[in-house]
Amino acid sequence: MQYIIGNWKMNGLRDEGLALAGALATHMTSEKPEGREVVLCPPATLIPLLAAAVFGSGIRTGGQDCHAAEKGAYTGDISAAMLQDMACEYVIVGHSERREHHGETSEQICEKARAALKHKLTPVVCVGEALAEREAGKAEEWVKEQVRASVPPDAAPADFIVAYEPIWAIGSGKTATTEDIAAMHRMIREAVAAHCTCPGEAVRIVYGGSVKPDNASEILKTQGVDGVLVGGASLEAESFWEIVTS
Ligand code: PGA
């Protein structure tokens, strides 16, 4: 199974979001791509509308973040229970934009992943190095530490996904080479297996960072890649669908 996850980030008003979801649901219903799990993570405002628009198509819905707490005085936040209540099955946690702009730490992300698991959501736990770590030859060490601190050690591999997203590749048009992706996915698989004491083959790892229709097929064929997390190219139905069917 390859996971094709669209992260709309802070994009999409009602009409365009509905048009995009509707076009993808039509493709999904008529083409039923084999071996593909398609997940859309729209902004929170669109989740219920989108869940209704894709209902019955096989497309899954996810959130872009959740709070670690069950409920309470956390203005502006959204809980895992709320996402579950709106028919979500996935939630992205620890995206580098949350780590950077909201100061989220790996320890907080681990708690968010725990909240997601409690509410039967599959957390997509994001890790990835900045250019400075890569240039200093410290990318593997950095990512390994993020994996150790962000993935709940008692989680079963069937219950979560790790997304490897080198920060320098996000929205930049630069992608990691397939050799680098394969090496990093191998290292992440070993790190999760050791940390969660589970078989490495069972760990699902997707790649993200400037995935486009013209590089998706090569990336999806790369050793150890179980799917892609797509930002910019998920905002246009035909380009996202090309990735789904790559
Ligand atoms: P991008 O974003 O595809 O626009 O590079 C990926 C992501 O941030 O998840």
Side-chain angles (χ1 to χ4, degrees):
M1 177 69 79
Q2 293 273 17
Y3 296 81
I4 315 293
I5 308 171
N7 172 13
W8 293 6
K9 308 192 181 186
M10 198 174 72
N11 294 292
L13 301 180
R14 183 205 308 253
D15 289 352
E16 54 188 329
L18 278 177
L20 179 48
L24 293 171
T26 302
H27 272 302
M28 191 76 180
T29 310
S30 59
E31 297 170 44
K32 296 187 180 54
E34 246 180 64
R36 295 285 190 267
E37 171 96 330
V38 180
V39 184
L40 299 180
C41 302
T45 48
L46 294 184
I47 288 173
L49 285 174
L50 185 133
V54 302
F55 184 76
S57 70
I59 293 178
R60 317 283 172 194
T61 311
Q64 296 178 9
D65 176 50
C66 68
H67 198 281
E70 198 55 33
K71 60 180 177 176
Y74 302 103
T75 303
D77 277 311
I78 180 163
S79 71
M82 291 168 179
L83 294 175
Q84 182 188 33
D85 193 35
M86 288 297 128
C88 286
E89 294 172 70
Y90 290 82
V91 60
I92 298 167
V93 293
H95 191 281
S96 60
E97 287 152 15
R98 303 270 334 160
R99 291 180 187 259
E100 184 186 344
H101 304 305
H102 297 263
E104 291 185 9
T105 64
S106 292
E107 290 66 28
Q108 287 169 323
I109 289 152
C110 187
E111 291 309 310
K112 290 175 180 230
R114 279 189 201 287
L117 291 168
K118 184 172 169 211
H119 288 281
K120 308 271 178 287
L121 301 167
T122 299
V124 179
V125 183
C126 301
V127 296
E129 80 285 358
L131 194 57
E133 283 96 36
R134 176 149 290 266
E135 285 179 347
K138 295 204 161 110
E140 291 212 353
E141 198 184 309
W142 179 269
V143 169
K144 198 170 173 177
E145 174 53 23
Q146 281 189 329
V147 165
R148 192 202 58 72
S150 310
V151 175
D154 48 356
D159 294 340
F160 67 91
I161 292 174
V162 175
Y164 169 55
E165 297 206 298
I167 297 170
W168 48 270
I170 295 176
S172 64
K174 293 184 197 149
T175 44
T177 63
T178 50
E179 289 75 22
D180 283 344
I181 296 173
M184 199 55 106
H185 280 225
R186 188 164 51 244
M187 190 284 294
I188 292 172
R189 196 174 302 284
E190 286 167 9
V192 178
H195 174 62
C196 295
T197 53
C198 65
E201 324 73 82
V203 178
R204 297 166 300 173
I205 309 169
V206 301
Y207 169 81
S210 296
V211 176
K212 306 285 175 209
D214 59 1
N215 60 22
S217 137
E218 199 191 4
I219 292 170
L220 287 166
K221 277 196 222 109
T222 301
Q223 179 82 28
V225 171
D226 299 303
V228 285
L229 179 53
V230 186
S234 72
L235 295 174
E236 206 270 312
E238 296 318 310
S239 68
F240 187 63
W241 194 254
E242 251 189 80
I243 295 172
V244 172
T245 53
S246 288

